[in-house]
Amino acid sequence: MLGRFSDAMSLIATATNAMVHAQHISGGFKVQDVSDELVTLERGLRALRGVYDEFDAGIREVRP
């Protein structure tokens, strides 16, 4: 589970860093200029939600 959490955070960090870099280089950006970064960010967020859902399910299993 922690490995999947780390992978999700890496996707989010990579996409965010790429978007920040694109903004600094051009002084701003259009959505079409960062479409790959947005796809990666969305993928990372879905993965992160999946890990949190799995974590929540695990907590419910061990609670009395």
Side-chain angles (χ1 to χ4, degrees):
M1 187 183 322
L2 291 177
R4 287 188 299 282
F5 176 79
S6 178
D7 291 346
M9 291 302 295
S10 292
L11 285 169
I12 292 168
T14 300
T16 302
N17 289 337
M19 292 173 66
V20 167
H21 181 71
Q23 184 176 17
H24 283 246
I25 295 261
S26 65
F29 56 81
K30 298 177 184 162
V31 172
Q32 61 267 24
D33 295 337
V34 291
S35 60
D36 292 335
E37 289 86 347
L38 289 174
V39 169
T40 303
L41 183 59
E42 289 171 352
R43 194 170 289 161
L45 289 171
R46 275 194 304 274
L48 187 61
R49 285 186 194 113
V51 171
Y52 276 109
D53 289 346
E54 185 179 346
F55 186 69
D56 286 341
I59 289 172
R60 284 191 294 271
E61 286 181 16
V62 297
R63 282 191 178 160

